[in-house]
Amino acid sequence: MQAAIKDIWAAYGGFSKLFAILTAAVVLLSWLLRVMAIPFGEFVTRVVETYRGIVHPVMDQLFGWLPWTLSDWWRDAIAIYFVVGGAVARTLWVFYAEHKAGESSEHYGPAVIGRFQNRAMQVLAVVLSAPLWPLSLLAMLAAPYVMRNPNTKNVFAGNWSRYRAWRERPHYQYICNLRTVFILQLVAVFAVSIAAILSRV
């Protein structure tokens, strides 16, 4: 039960995470409105239209070099891709936030994306994990269990077998399961979108 509470807090704790989840839900609503022609209430429709008015022109600037013009469907599809990437990036930051840069001499994390001591490199890894989220997600899912040794301040991310070994050391502290954190964030995005559809506000 205590582990579940820590996972929930890691996924939803803090204003920035809740704001990002709400923003992702708006992107998903825009895509659903276009693909499935679902009728929304006036408030939700205005929110979606505001999102399109802000994000779609930005995408036109970013992808203006292409020999063709992006349709609204593709604009929303690209946004959905980055919604998932945002969830991956926030999940990776949960891992880095537990590791204070410079505190420990060792830092074990997901391969490639996790093994950075320097805070600037950690931030860069998080930023790059959004567009490269398939690679980042595979690395995190391979080593989702995050633990801390309070004596050395080391933070570890490992697979199930390592997690079982760490649990046998009473002084090790469970931080979160990155797999669960990622799933909880996506569930929240879909839940908010479905609630908006059903409410007809």
Side-chain angles (χ1 to χ4, degrees):
M1 183 63 180
Q2 187 176 7
I5 292 174
K6 288 185 176 181
D7 289 341
I8 292 172
W9 176 254
Y12 304 139
F15 173 79
S16 60
K17 293 176 185 175
L18 295 177
F19 179 78
I21 288 171
L22 290 174
T23 303
V26 172
V27 175
L28 182 59
L29 284 169
S30 176
W31 185 77
L32 290 174
L33 181 62
R34 192 176 309 283
V35 172
M36 304 179 68
I38 298 174
F40 292 156
E42 182 179 353
F43 173 75
V44 173
T45 301
R46 287 184 179 180
V47 170
V48 169
E49 289 176 352
T50 301
Y51 146 77
R52 289 175 178 170
I54 295 173
V55 175
H56 285 189
V58 173
M59 286 194 177
D60 290 339
Q61 292 295 324
L62 291 176
F63 298 99
W65 53 272
L66 292 173
W68 62 85
T69 302
L70 289 176
S71 66
D72 289 340
W73 189 96
W74 275 107
R75 291 189 185 102
D76 287 334
I78 292 171
I80 292 291
Y81 177 89
F82 280 99
V83 163
V84 179
V88 172
R90 290 191 300 275
T91 304
L92 180 59
W93 184 249
V94 167
F95 175 67
Y96 282 139
E98 294 296 334
H99 171 72
K100 308 303 180 185
E103 269 193 359
S104 62
S105 58
E106 298 181 27
H107 178 53
Y108 302 101
V112 182
I113 60 168
R115 295 168 183 168
F116 297 113
Q117 282 273 9
N118 183 274
R119 182 61 83 190
M121 291 300 296
Q122 293 175 353
V123 172
L124 179 61
V126 169
V127 171
L128 291 178
S129 68
L132 302 177
W133 68 260
L135 297 176
S136 301
L137 182 60
L138 287 175
M140 284 193 297
L141 294 183
Y145 298 95
V146 181
M147 304 283 286
R148 177 194 286 118
N149 184 336
N151 297 328
T152 64
K153 305 294 185 181
N154 289 342
V155 177
F156 306 89
N159 56 22
W160 173 246
S161 61
R162 286 193 176 186
Y163 173 61
R164 285 189 301 173
W166 293 338
R167 283 195 306 178
E168 295 175 0
R169 304 175 184 181
H171 62 287
Y172 272 39
Q173 299 174 343
Y174 175 85
I175 302 300
C176 67
N177 182 329
L178 296 177
R179 184 183 302 156
T180 305
V181 171
F182 173 71
I183 292 173
L184 285 174
Q185 291 191 63
L186 288 185
V187 167
V189 171
F190 280 96
V192 171
S193 300
I194 292 172
I197 293 172
L198 296 178
S199 68
R200 299 293 179 88
V201 295

